Amino acid sequence: MTKLGERIKKIRGKMTQKEFSEILGITQRAVINYEISGRVPRKKILNSICERFGICEQWLLTGEGPMRANADKREGRTCDTVAGESSVSSVQPIENTQSQSNKTCDMSQVSPSIRKNMELQERLLAAHERLLSLTEQNAELRLQLERRDMRIHELEKENAGLREAQKGAAAVFRAAAGDAG
């Protein structure tokens, strides 16, 4: 399970994946992919999770900062969710403020993974298309083979009939030759 998946599972708590998915308006398979496969939810889903469960987006994505929005006021850090956008704000004295890099979500590690996932999905799609094409070719070759086998069977029957006719003609010829002799 990925760390993001562990955090999503923590948010879900005792809810089933199905219940959680219904609240978010997504499929249960999507929740499974988030929790187990490490798939990163789209921004819309991230925002929905943060809004509906009062979660700080930065914590959800990175595990840093407070989990709950407005939960860590003792340290002077809050995570406010406003109109679907999470932001970490500081209410600490100026000499103790956090660096800007800690206030924003670093997606630099996620983007290459998403890009690689997309490339793999495209390769998988191409492989499926190739498999479909080969399956169609296989079916056509099997049909041709069946037609060939049927034609061979017809020719063998015809050949057997001609042999019988030839034997009958030879017997008649011998009988006629014996009568003439």
Side-chain angles (χ1 to χ4, degrees):
M1 184 176 293
T2 65
K3 292 183 180 193
L4 175 64
E6 290 171 1
R7 289 189 293 274
I8 290 175
K9 190 170 184 177
K10 184 175 182 176
I11 294 166
R12 181 168 58 87
K14 293 184 180 180
M15 254 187 280
T16 65
Q17 289 173 333
K18 183 159 183 61
E19 292 169 337
F20 189 71
S21 68
E22 288 172 354
I23 289 171
L24 296 174
I26 57 176
T27 64
Q28 182 178 355
R29 177 42 91 199
V31 175
I32 292 168
N33 286 337
Y34 301 150
E35 290 183 2
I36 297 171
S37 303
R39 190 172 134 215
V40 177
R42 291 174 298 173
K43 181 72 172 167
K44 179 181 172 185
I45 303 302
L46 289 171
N47 287 341
S48 184
I49 291 170
C50 292
E51 283 179 24
R52 294 176 191 262
F53 297 96
I55 302 298
C56 179
E57 186 174 2
Q58 181 180 4
W59 176 85
L60 178 58
L61 290 171
T62 66
E64 296 174 1
M67 175 183 171
R68 301 275 175 200
N70 299 318
D72 200 4
K73 291 183 179 178
R74 286 181 308 252
E75 293 179 18
R77 290 177 45 178
T78 62
C79 177
D80 299 320
T81 304
V82 180
E85 292 187 23
S86 283
S87 63
V88 175
S89 62
S90 176
V91 292
Q92 295 175 325
I94 292 176
E95 66 272 5
N96 197 21
T97 58
Q98 303 233 333
S99 70
Q100 186 64 28
S101 64
N102 287 341
K103 293 182 184 179
T104 60
C105 176
D106 179 18
M107 295 294 285
S108 62
Q109 292 177 346
V110 176
S111 294
S113 296
I114 291 172
R115 199 173 2 267
K116 185 175 181 179
N117 189 4
M118 287 174 56
E119 290 170 6
L120 290 173
Q121 290 291 338
E122 288 172 3
R123 287 178 58 194
L124 182 62
L125 180 61
H128 279 293
E129 288 172 354
R130 179 75 176 134
L131 178 62
L132 179 61
S133 174
L134 291 173
T135 302
E136 289 172 354
Q137 287 177 2
N138 187 10
E140 180 61 34
L141 289 172
R142 285 180 185 269
L143 185 61
Q144 289 175 8
L145 183 62
E146 189 177 313
R147 286 180 187 149
R148 187 203 69 188
D149 288 347
M150 288 175 59
R151 181 66 180 142
I152 288 172
H153 183 69
E154 290 171 2
L155 290 172
E156 286 174 345
K157 277 176 77 175
E158 187 178 322
N159 194 16
L162 289 174
R163 282 192 184 129
E164 289 297 318
Q166 190 178 19
K167 284 182 189 177
V172 171
F173 180 69
R174 272 183 271 164
D179 288 341

